[in-house]
Structure formats: structure tokens, C-alpha cells
Amino acid sequence: MFLAAQKAKKKHLQSFGNGFQRTANLLLFAAGTLLLCITEGAPLANCVFEFASSLGTVGLSIGLTGPTTRAATLLVEIAGMLLGRLEIFLVFTGLGSAVFLMRQRRRR
């Protein structure tokens, strides 16, 4: 009976993690797309394509990025590439672990 309860708890936590990761990725995608629209002033469809391309680190572009692209737009793209490559859930886990360790060291 105890093992069944542990398995059920583990399954619940795994489903929570998967749902959290999907939600975090969707929010990141929406925020990055809106930031691209604000910084570049391009149509929404172009910004969606560009940011999806940067999150997937595939290198496709429809012309938003180039030699005359604003610095703010490039920073949004760079952040998308880094977070897409690192997987946002791992970034949150790493930041949470760092904060936890810093709090432990301060208490000592």
C-alpha cells in the first residue's frame, strides 16, 4: 500500500512538472513574440515566426534580423535562443537551486 501511494505521488509530481514546463514555454513564447513586435514594429505573424525560430535555434528568418536590426530586437532574439537551447525548466531549476544554496550559506 505504501509503494502504491509513493507511485501515485511521483506520477502526480511528474504531471505537474510537465504541465508547468508547457505553461512556462508558452508564456516565454508569448512574451518573446510581443517583445519582438514592440521592439521591431513588425506584424504579429512575422514576430511569431521569428521568435519560434529563435526558440528552436533553427536559424530560419523571414527578414526581421539583418544588418540594420535594432539592438533591442537582437537581444530578444538572443534571449530566445539561449532559453530555447537550455530548456526553460532547467533554467528555473538552476536558479531555484542557486537561491536555495545562497540562503543556506547565509544561515551558517
Side-chain angles (χ1 to χ4, degrees), residues 10-87:
K10 184 177 181 181
K11 187 175 181 179
H12 174 69
L13 289 175
Q14 286 174 344
S15 67
F16 172 76
N18 290 339
F20 177 76
Q21 185 175 3
R22 277 187 236 122
T23 303
N25 284 336
L26 185 61
L27 288 174
L28 173 67
F29 178 69
T33 300
L34 289 176
L35 281 173
L36 273 182
C37 285
I38 291 168
T39 59
E40 195 59 31
L44 182 63
N46 292 353
C47 294
V48 167
F49 183 87
E50 286 286 334
F51 199 72
S53 174
S54 69
L55 274 178
T57 62
V58 292
L60 297 175
S61 178
I62 53 175
L64 280 184
T65 54
T68 60
T69 305
R70 298 177 183 141
T73 302
L74 291 177
L75 289 174
V76 171
E77 292 273 357
I78 289 168
M81 288 179 207
L82 285 173
L83 292 173
R85 183 76 175 148
L86 296 176
E87 292 290 329

Side-chain angles (χ1 to χ4, degrees), residues 79-96:
M81 288 179 207
L82 285 173
L83 292 173
R85 183 76 175 148
L86 296 176
E87 292 290 329
I88 189 68
F89 189 69
L90 294 176
V91 172
F92 286 148
T93 303
L95 289 174

